[in-house]
Amino acid sequence: MQSEHTYRDPANPGAPLIPRAEWDRGPYNRWTFRNVREVVPTTRVWRGRGPVSVMEEAPQDISGIRFTLDGRDWSVGDVLAETFTDGFLVIHRGRIVAEIYMNDMRRETLHLSQSVGKSVVGTVAGILIGRGLIDPKAPVTEYLPELEKTAHRGATVQQVLDMTTGTVFDESYTALDSHVAKLDAACGWKDPQSPDWPKTVWQLILELTEAERAHGEAFCYRSIETDILAFLLQRVSGRMLADLVSEELWMPLGAEEDACFTVDPAGYALASGGFNATLRDYGRFADMITHRGFYNGRQIVPEGWIAETRNGGNHAIFTGDYRVVLPNGAYHNQFWIEDVDRPVLLARGVFGQLLYMDEENEFTAVKLSSWPEFVHAGRTRLTLTAIRAVRAALL
């Protein structure tokens, strides 16, 4: 008998799995986020042949931890049950205190991270910046001269990292003709709505010729800028993105499983949202950030770059709806900053993906989800409040 979250029918081979236009949306994402390699093409992020890094365990029952939000009493268990959780991991002082799998997810299951992958790519940029291969103050066209004919002309690498360029990019997830809809088609996730749409992610980047403001004036979330960053990383290193993440992060971290990226028709690994990994391996990455780039016995990311990421956010240009969830927040180096007065780094993705990295308290949390909606401020606030309650209970 099939479970309610299984979309294959063994008795009907060759039958369509799910509507292609909706594979990444509810209710289908309850299955597809754990089975991306069966839906779209991917490329491997090899973990290497080295030993798996040891994650010490000190399990505690956190489900009964209680808190109040907007006048309602909650338990952490209630939150996990009501927010479409697939996996939840808590690490405190280097030891796993909670590891919870739901919705048929297992320890070896890869899960789509959506925009959490942006922070992975940003971290690789931090490593190459630390080696002097990239100058964040330089124009992005110094590394990608093809962008001279686009609205990214004159933008610095740092402005791309911070998403403060003035380039027009419509991130409306539900609009059928937005730039992000074109990105969905260009990256191979969806069918194009028009034969004139770009066929690859690089083609889409070259079509962004309209500006809405001067570079550096405001933060505006643009997924495509992580893809620009990835092409820059590939240009300066001579390596493809999946190999960079493998060699610079997954191998040094002692990851337990290979990860993967979805790829576009040209074989480009989607930096802005196509990264997949296991719950524990997301935990390894996040805990490495929590510990100033040091993990598995080595300094993987420059400590100074991590510190600058935590403390370098500009709240003044972090305006509008971004303040609903993070009223004193910021965005810097492809990470969200929870509060500029007490910096905790976040990596966030649509449909409920979250890494929480608190250096001061040696506290790390990972939540993988499959919400029915792209964004939901109420669920995000609820999740963050629950994580803070867990942290308070552990201190």
Side-chain angles (χ1 to χ4, degrees), residues 350-372:
V350 290
F351 299 103
Q353 322 318 318
L354 177 68
L355 309 185
Y356 190 95
M357 295 152 281
D358 179 355
E359 175 187 315
E360 180 180 343
N361 293 298
E362 295 185 76
F363 176 87
T364 302
V366 179
K367 188 173 189 296
L368 303 174
S369 314
S370 41
W371 294 352

Side-chain angles (χ1 to χ4, degrees), residues 275-291:
F275 187 67
N276 301 257
T278 66
L279 181 66
R280 279 199 171 204
D281 286 341
Y282 285 123
R284 287 180 169 91
F285 168 78
D287 210 42
M288 178 268 294
I289 298 294
T290 296
H291 287 89

Side-chain angles (χ1 to χ4, degrees), residues 143-215:
Y143 304 97
L144 297 172
E146 298 92 333
L147 301 190
E148 283 286 355
K149 296 181 179 180
T150 74
H152 280 94
R153 180 180 61 256
T156 66
V157 174
Q158 189 63 63
Q159 287 165 343
V160 171
L161 276 162
D162 293 346
M163 297 192 188
T164 59
T165 77
T167 302
V168 171
F169 185 84
D170 182 2
E171 191 91 9
S172 301
Y173 298 117
T174 57
L176 296 179
D177 59 350
S178 66
H179 285 112
V180 83
K182 291 182 179 181
L183 178 57
D184 275 351
C187 76
W189 283 22
K190 305 290 178 66
D191 293 326
Q193 299 293 315
S194 165
D196 297 328
W197 278 18
K199 304 298 189 296
T200 66
V201 175
W202 180 245
Q203 288 179 14
L204 175 58
I205 289 169
L206 295 180
E207 291 184 8
L208 300 177
T209 58
E210 184 180 355
E212 59 186 350
R213 63 175 64 89
H215 300 311

Side-chain angles (χ1 to χ4, degrees), residues 55-62 90-99 280 394:
M55 301 185 81
E56 296 183 7
E57 300 179 41
Q60 298 185 35
D61 182 5
I62 64 167
V90 176
I91 304 171
H92 185 227
R93 294 174 181 166
R95 298 190 295 178
I96 295 175
V97 297
E99 183 175 14
R280 279 199 171 204
L394 294 174

Side-chain angles (χ1 to χ4, degrees), residues 202-336:
W202 180 245
Q203 288 179 14
L204 175 58
I205 289 169
L206 295 180
E207 291 184 8
L208 300 177
T209 58
E210 184 180 355
E212 59 186 350
R213 63 175 64 89
H215 300 311
E217 285 188 354
F219 166 70
C220 184
Y221 194 77
R222 305 174 186 85
S223 286
I224 199 67
E225 299 200 316
T226 310
D227 294 306
I228 291 174
L229 179 63
F231 281 109
L232 189 157
L233 297 178
Q234 293 182 157
R235 179 70 58 83
V236 301
S237 69
R239 291 175 285 171
M240 298 302 287
L241 180 62
D243 295 330
L244 277 169
V245 174
S246 168
E247 295 163 16
E248 302 294 352
L249 289 175
W250 244 234
M251 290 183 190
L253 284 169
E256 191 164 342
E257 302 284 348
D258 291 344
C260 72
F261 279 99
T262 68
V263 292
D264 78 356
Y268 161 73
L270 183 65
S272 56
F275 187 67
N276 301 257
T278 66
L279 181 66
R280 279 199 171 204
D281 286 341
Y282 285 123
R284 287 180 169 91
F285 168 78
D287 210 42
M288 178 268 294
I289 298 294
T290 296
H291 287 89
R292 304 180 183 181
F294 186 87
Y295 196 84
N296 197 26
R298 61 181 289 187
Q299 192 72 41
I300 298 173
V301 183
E303 182 177 355
W305 188 85
I306 300 287
E308 198 276 331
T309 301
R310 290 178 70 244
N311 298 300
N314 184 351
H315 178 65
I317 61 173
F318 187 84
T319 60
D321 290 345
Y322 304 117
R323 296 191 179 189
V324 173
V325 172
L326 302 175
N328 199 35
Y331 189 89
H332 188 46
N333 286 342
Q334 302 283 300
F335 285 84
W336 301 84

Side-chain angles (χ1 to χ4, degrees), residues 34-101:
R34 296 177 288 105
N35 295 277
V36 165
R37 289 175 293 184
E38 298 183 46
V39 182
V40 292
T42 62
T43 187
R44 180 176 71 158
V45 175
W46 188 37
R47 65 160 301 278
R49 294 193 175 91
V52 174
S53 58
V54 175
M55 301 185 81
E56 296 183 7
E57 300 179 41
Q60 298 185 35
D61 182 5
I62 64 167
S63 61
I65 296 172
R66 307 198 71 84
F67 63 93
T68 300
L69 179 64
D70 297 334
R72 178 176 170 182
D73 183 57
W74 292 88
S75 72
V76 171
D78 292 337
V79 173
L80 296 181
E82 295 191 28
T83 58
F84 301 87
T85 304
D86 298 326
F88 187 62
L89 183 73
V90 176
I91 304 171
H92 185 227
R93 294 174 181 166
R95 298 190 295 178
I96 295 175
V97 297
E99 183 175 14
I100 298 168
Y101 296 97

